[in-house]
Amino acid sequence: MQCDEIEELLYLHRAGELEPGEHQILTDHLKTCSACREMLAELKQLDTIFDLERSVAPDLGRDLDSDILSAIYAAVQESDTGSMSKLIPHWLTERALWFALVVFLGILGISFATEQYIAIKKITTLEEKMVDQAVVSLQETSLTGRLAGLYSRYQKRNLEIGTGRGKSILLSKLNSTDVATGAKFLRLSDGVHLVGTERKRGLLSDYSGIKTDAHPYEFVYQFLVQEEQK
Amino acid sequence: MNTTKHSFILAGTIIISMILWNCREITTTTKIYSDGSCERTVKVKSKHKSHSNSYFPIPTDSTWTITNTKTRQDTTFYEFTATREFRDVKDLQRVYTSYADSGLAIEDLEMKKRFGLFYLYFRYQEVYSRYSPYDKVPISDYLTEDEIQIYLSEQDSSDIEDKVDEWRARAMFEELFQAMVSKAETLAIPELTPAMFRTNKDTLFRAIIKNADSTNGVLREASVILKTDAVSALTDTIDYVIKRIDHDLENMMQVSSNEYVNQVIMPGLLLDTNADAVEGNMARWKFSGEAFEFRDKRMWGESRVINWWGIGISGGLLLLLLGFLVIIARARRP
């Protein structure tokens, strides 16, 4: 056989795929052909090198495709959550954020409550001060005198007591100034509450004949003057 | 004002002044906006069409929108109205500073803004400065603060009224007395020494207040008490001082005879004020000009408006925190 035909048998031999007859032919040829023997020696050397590389990276090549796919999958996953996780400092935990949220809401709540408390306190003081200024003129001895003083002060300063609370402060001050006429003040108190709404003023107007468009204090004043005259 | 009781030589002037200048009602309304700008309207109701000599800083220049018409209710009265907008309160202050020589000074206009988390707070203050040309005798020598308050609130108290009259008379006399002493020092006449004046100061006061009604009257009383005719050397000085007192008193009467109303409309909710009355977010002070004779008239109000910026930033921070919470919860999930 020619050497080029023997070369094919050499490769088959290396791969372990020689038929028994072919093995005999190759052995006989190698006994007489030094060139083919050298080729066999070179092939064995190459096999030694490959064997060494396999021992270092045994799966290289064999699992390449699956490795690439795994890497791509991992990268995709990392871009979703893993990289974000790396960006977030370790101390910024979920618990720390809940704590911060609670503290922040607490600060907002306390600030709001404080601002509201101070405002309500100031408004209440202002309301009482306005009422006090109205009561200054009520040092008259008679009820009608006090009411006249109150009404004239109201007219003079265009004072707006307005709220039910303001009226009750006013009445408590009136009550505290003269116990002897408590009964009259009670009527005054009833009167003020009675004329608090237009409907009630209407009812009282039918009884007294006082016009309903009068200011509540003026209404009470006129009503009590009439009552006293009776 | 019971100034006639002791104001020796000036009784006639006072009466004339009262007739000339009484019954001006000056209403000043200042609307403050939440951006700090403001609008002021000055309304004067009086029998005089012109206010150029009113001795209260009433704007009459063209930078104000002015109307001057007879009132509908009473055609014998004129109603003058001047309105102008200002960038801020300091701008308003600058304008009033330019009226400084027109009499009573609007001494201080101030607007302070304070930030709360949910509200913006405004504090406005306006001060009408004290106007008393006779400042050589302090009011505190005669009246306590409480007594001044009682006097100004028009409560009946003859004791306090007597003290006020005494102070006024002493204050006016002091102008005359110091001028006479100063002139005596300059003249250096042996028969008319400053010491003679100082020794007889109280006697001079009583006699001049009671009996003198002119320059000649003052000279007559002084020559009797000091027992010298050399007082005639003081004629020009006494004449000059009396004319000055006369002029100052006339100006003071202008200020005192007016009725003043100052209204300030604050932005948002009115929280506190030293006003006499409150209507919604408007604070109102009503007083006679006599108040200026004793002390500065200090008027202030405090209000608040919602701080939308603060609420927005707080809300943003809250959303940011919640967003972080969601992100971290997802990121740290196994």
Side-chain angles (χ1 to χ4, degrees), chain A:
Chain A
M1 284 186 83
Q2 295 296 314
C3 284
D4 53 345
E5 289 170 329
I6 291 299
E7 191 178 343
E8 280 184 29
L9 293 176
L10 279 173
Y11 283 112
L12 287 170
H13 163 71
R14 187 172 157 251
E17 292 172 358
L18 273 178
E19 297 290 330
E22 288 172 333
H23 189 268
Q24 190 55 50
I25 292 167
L26 179 63
T27 308
D28 292 343
H29 181 79
L30 287 173
K31 282 176 185 171
T32 58
C33 182
S34 60
C36 287
R37 279 200 302 277
E38 279 179 20
M39 187 181 285
L40 179 63
E42 283 175 5
L43 285 172
K44 280 185 176 176
Q45 268 187 330
L46 278 172
D47 284 344
T48 308
I49 291 165
F50 284 139
D51 285 345
L52 187 66
E53 284 177 351
R54 279 194 196 99
S55 70
V56 175
D59 295 329
L60 187 67
R62 195 182 59 202
D63 296 325
L64 185 63
D65 289 349
S66 65
D67 284 350
I68 289 168
L69 285 172
S70 298
I72 291 167
Y73 178 73
V76 169
Q77 272 216 320
E78 195 138 297
S79 69
D80 192 17
T81 57
S83 60
M84 186 67 78
S85 180
K86 283 176 188 169
L87 285 173
I88 298 167
H90 291 296
W91 54 264
L92 194 56
T93 60
E94 209 173 323
R95 185 177 291 178
L97 274 172
W98 273 114
F99 179 73
L101 191 67
V102 169
V103 169
F104 185 64
L105 284 173
I107 291 169
L108 288 184
I110 289 168
S111 298
F112 185 73
T114 308
E115 289 191 56
Q116 286 300 99
Y117 173 74
I118 292 169
I120 290 168
K121 201 173 172 186
K122 282 185 172 181
I123 291 168
T124 306
T125 310
L126 179 62
E127 201 173 46
E128 286 177 358
K129 196 161 67 181
M130 290 295 113
V131 172
D132 280 341
Q133 286 175 3
V135 174
V136 165
S137 65
L138 301 177
Q139 305 307 315
E140 300 284 335
T141 49
S142 72
L143 172 64
T144 49
R146 290 182 191 204
L147 278 166
L150 170 61
Y151 184 63
S152 67
R153 182 60 65 108
Y154 177 86
Q155 279 190 317
K156 188 179 175 187
R157 297 196 163 168
N158 204 5
L159 179 68
E160 182 57 78
I161 294 168
T163 65
R165 194 175 174 283
K167 284 175 192 168
S168 63
I169 294 167
L170 174 67
L171 290 169
S172 70
K173 285 182 183 296
L174 281 170
N175 282 326
S176 66
T177 53
D178 191 348
V179 181
T181 51
K184 287 180 181 176
F185 283 121
L186 185 65
R187 284 166 61 192
L188 165 65
S189 175
D190 289 345
V192 170
H193 290 296
L194 189 64
V195 299
T197 65
E198 204 170 319
R199 190 181 68 82
K200 287 177 178 175
R201 274 202 297 279
L203 289 171
L204 199 62
S205 177
D206 293 341
Y207 165 75
S208 64
I210 301 165
K211 288 180 184 175
T212 53
D213 58 357
H215 184 273
Y217 291 129
E218 187 187 18
F219 195 98
V220 173
Y221 170 58
Q222 289 182 9
F223 175 75
L224 288 171
V225 167
Q226 277 191 15
E227 289 295 295
E228 282 195 346
Q229 282 170 353
K230 284 179 185 173

Side-chain angles (χ1 to χ4, degrees), chain B residues 317-332:
Chain B
L317 279 171
L318 197 64
L319 286 174
L320 204 67
L321 267 174
L322 286 169
F324 258 119
L325 255 175
V326 171
I327 290 167
I328 285 176
R330 285 187 61 191
R332 298 273 158 84

Side-chain angles (χ1 to χ4, degrees), chain B residues 179-189 192 194:
Chain B
M180 288 193 295
V181 171
S182 177
K183 184 68 178 175
E185 282 172 349
T186 310
L187 291 170
I189 304 170
L192 194 69

Side-chain angles (χ1 to χ4, degrees), chain B residues 95-258:
Chain B
V95 170
Y96 270 89
T97 306
S98 68
Y99 303 144
D101 58 350
S102 65
L104 186 75
I106 309 293
E107 192 179 62
D108 187 29
L109 284 158
E110 188 181 69
M111 181 74 176
K112 280 183 181 168
K113 202 172 180 179
R114 184 169 62 81
F115 289 88
L117 197 53
F118 292 95
Y119 297 99
L120 286 174
Y121 296 88
F122 295 91
R123 187 185 162 88
Y124 175 82
Q125 179 169 279
E126 183 164 358
V127 180
Y128 291 0
S129 62
R130 176 174 178 250
Y131 182 76
S132 175
Y134 318 115
D135 55 1
K136 291 187 169 61
V137 178
I139 180 72
S140 54
D141 289 357
Y142 290 84
L143 292 166
T144 64
E145 277 296 311
D146 287 344
E147 285 173 328
I148 293 172
Q149 190 59 45
I150 290 167
Y151 182 77
L152 292 177
S153 64
E154 296 172 8
Q155 293 177 41
D156 291 335
S157 173
S158 54
D159 286 351
I160 294 175
E161 280 178 24
D162 287 347
K163 284 183 181 180
V164 171
D165 287 343
E166 175 81 3
W167 167 69
R168 283 181 181 142
R170 284 278 181 185
M172 280 189 276
F173 172 76
E174 195 65 25
E175 300 283 326
L176 183 67
F177 179 78
Q178 288 192 13
M180 288 193 295
V181 171
S182 177
K183 184 68 178 175
E185 282 172 349
T186 310
L187 291 170
I189 304 170
E191 298 85 42
L192 194 69
T193 62
M196 291 164 68
F197 283 97
R198 291 192 185 105
T199 309
N200 296 287
K201 184 176 181 179
D202 205 50
T203 317
L204 280 168
F205 168 70
R206 300 286 166 205
I208 289 171
I209 286 295
K210 191 177 175 186
N211 305 319
D213 59 356
S214 64
T215 303
N216 287 336
V218 174
L219 287 170
R220 185 187 63 239
E221 295 299 322
S223 67
V224 170
I225 291 163
L226 302 178
K227 298 181 180 67
T228 173
D229 290 334
V231 289
S232 59
L234 304 177
T235 304
D236 290 346
T237 303
I238 292 168
D239 203 39
Y240 170 76
V241 173
I242 285 177
K243 279 179 181 161
R244 204 186 66 210
I245 290 173
D246 193 350
H247 177 257
D248 289 343
L249 190 67
E250 194 176 317
N251 290 337
M252 202 171 79
M253 289 307 298
Q254 283 183 42
V255 174
S256 297
S257 59
N258 292 334

